[in-house]
Amino acid sequence: MHFDEFNDIHASEETKKKTLAYVMRKQKKLPYQKPALALLITSCLLLLFIFPSFLTRQSVKNNPVSSSDSISYISVDINPSMEWAVNEKNIIIDVTSYNEDVKNLSFVTSLKGKTLMEGMNLMMQDTAFQEYLKEGFLEIGIYSEQKQQENKLEKQINDFLEERLSSSKYHCSCPNKDTFERSREQKISFGKYSVIQEILLYDSTYSETELKSKSMRELYDILALYDEDTSSKGKHHGKQKGKHHKQQSVQKR
């Protein structure tokens, strides 16, 4: 009996050899087998040894890893500084912490698997977060390679916060790709990094390292010294400031 058919089967050489050896042993034990029966046994053995690996390859093929283009990022800064990765279904799939203060927020460990709005609700209900918010300022950054998705997320988050906070307590922005990528190099959330860069445009005597250690309230107090849209208390109208940042993003993209 010839076994040239094995040449066209996409399996490891070791698997082919084991299968062939097994068939030969069976044939020696059953010399009276007819060719048709031997072929049937061979076919069954091929399915037994090779079909599982075929299923594995098909499973990987049918469930490809999502590309980075389908993932959006939400930076959340107040004093705790973190970043949420959100997939195309608005499910939080990863959380990155940028300082130790994030450990004070108990809800963070429950974020993965939640929708973005569920995550925002958990944040607003967290007792420690509310303590930070009393004297603090919330900066939310939104970034996605898919700009339609980015705009959608920005609207959702703005609508959510407008119902729960005074405009003097938060700000949303959409930093450009360059800011997003440079924040990665500096190990700073991109929302906070964009505010730091805005301060440095006014006053280069500061260093990024020095500003990185400050809370968002402190950063906005500094920015208020130079930005006429920001009061001495860091008061900041979300829509107005968001528009300002958006114009900068469009110019650089």
Side-chain angles (χ1 to χ4, degrees):
M1 182 177 180
H2 298 286
F3 295 95
D4 293 337
E5 289 83 0
F6 278 95
N7 295 329
D8 295 326
I9 295 174
H10 299 289
S12 67
E13 288 300 319
E14 183 180 359
T15 300
K16 290 181 181 180
K17 289 177 180 178
K18 287 181 178 179
T19 304
L20 180 57
Y22 190 88
V23 172
M24 294 300 294
R25 287 199 303 272
K26 288 295 182 181
Q27 280 199 319
K28 288 179 180 178
K29 291 180 180 179
L30 302 172
Y32 54 86
Q33 289 178 335
K34 295 181 178 179
L37 183 57
L39 180 60
L40 177 60
I41 293 175
T42 301
S43 300
C44 292
L45 290 171
L46 288 176
L47 288 174
L48 177 64
F49 283 100
I50 299 173
F51 193 63
S53 63
F54 173 77
L55 286 178
T56 301
R57 291 196 303 272
Q58 286 299 105
S59 177
V60 173
K61 182 178 179 181
N62 293 333
N63 296 281
V65 176
S66 298
S67 68
S68 59
D69 286 352
S70 65
I71 298 177
S72 303
Y73 299 88
I74 312 297
S75 65
V76 179
D77 291 277
I78 187 164
N79 201 37
S81 180
M82 59 184 151
E83 194 173 283
W84 306 351
V86 181
N87 66 15
E88 65 278 1
K89 295 181 180 179
N90 279 6
I91 302 296
I92 299 170
I93 59 174
D94 196 20
V95 178
T96 301
S97 300
Y98 284 99
N99 61 18
E100 291 296 314
D101 287 344
V102 175
K103 294 179 181 179
N104 297 329
L105 304 175
S106 60
F107 77 93
V108 174
T109 57
S110 304
L111 285 173
K112 287 186 182 180
K114 298 288 194 302
T115 66
L116 175 60
M117 290 299 102
E118 287 174 339
M120 296 293 288
N121 269 310
L122 286 174
M123 179 180 73
M124 295 301 296
Q125 294 167 9
D126 188 82
T127 303
F129 177 83
Q130 287 298 325
E131 287 299 315
Y132 281 111
L133 193 58
K134 282 181 180 178
E135 300 298 329
F137 187 85
L138 176 62
E139 177 74 14
I140 300 288
I142 304 103
Y143 177 80
S144 176
E145 289 287 343
Q146 304 296 329
K147 294 308 161 187
Q148 184 176 359
Q149 176 69 358
E150 180 179 272
N151 293 335
K152 181 180 177 182
L153 291 172
E154 182 185 22
K155 184 179 186 309
Q156 286 180 339
I157 293 172
N158 261 316
D159 289 346
F160 177 88
L161 294 176
E162 281 179 2
E163 293 180 1
R164 293 162 177 81
L165 295 176
S166 163
S167 60
S168 64
K169 301 294 290 183
Y170 76 94
H171 170 235
C172 293
S173 67
C174 297
N176 57 48
K177 184 175 183 179
D178 183 56
T179 297
F180 177 78
E181 292 178 345
R182 283 189 286 126
S183 71
R184 289 287 193 273
E185 298 171 2
Q186 299 300 320
K187 294 181 171 57
I188 309 174
S189 75
F190 63 92
K192 187 173 188 176
Y193 185 76
S194 65
V195 176
I196 289 173
Q197 294 307 304
E198 191 168 355
I199 291 173
L200 293 175
L201 287 176
Y202 290 110
D203 191 344
S204 60
T205 61
Y206 288 104
S207 69
E208 284 186 356
T209 302
E210 179 184 4
L211 294 174
K212 178 182 177 181
S213 65
K214 296 185 179 298
S215 70
M216 290 311 303
R217 169 58 68 190
E218 292 172 322
L219 290 177
Y220 271 102
D221 283 347
I222 295 172
L223 187 60
L225 301 174
Y226 309 100
D227 190 341
E228 62 182 11
D229 292 332
T230 307
S231 73
S232 60
K233 292 182 179 180
K235 188 173 182 179
H236 210 31
H237 194 287
K239 287 186 176 180
Q240 185 179 26
K241 194 64 181 179
K243 182 179 179 182
H244 172 63
H245 278 230
K246 200 72 173 181
Q247 288 173 340
Q248 287 185 329
S249 300
V250 171
Q251 290 172 357
K252 291 182 180 180
R253 284 174 184 167

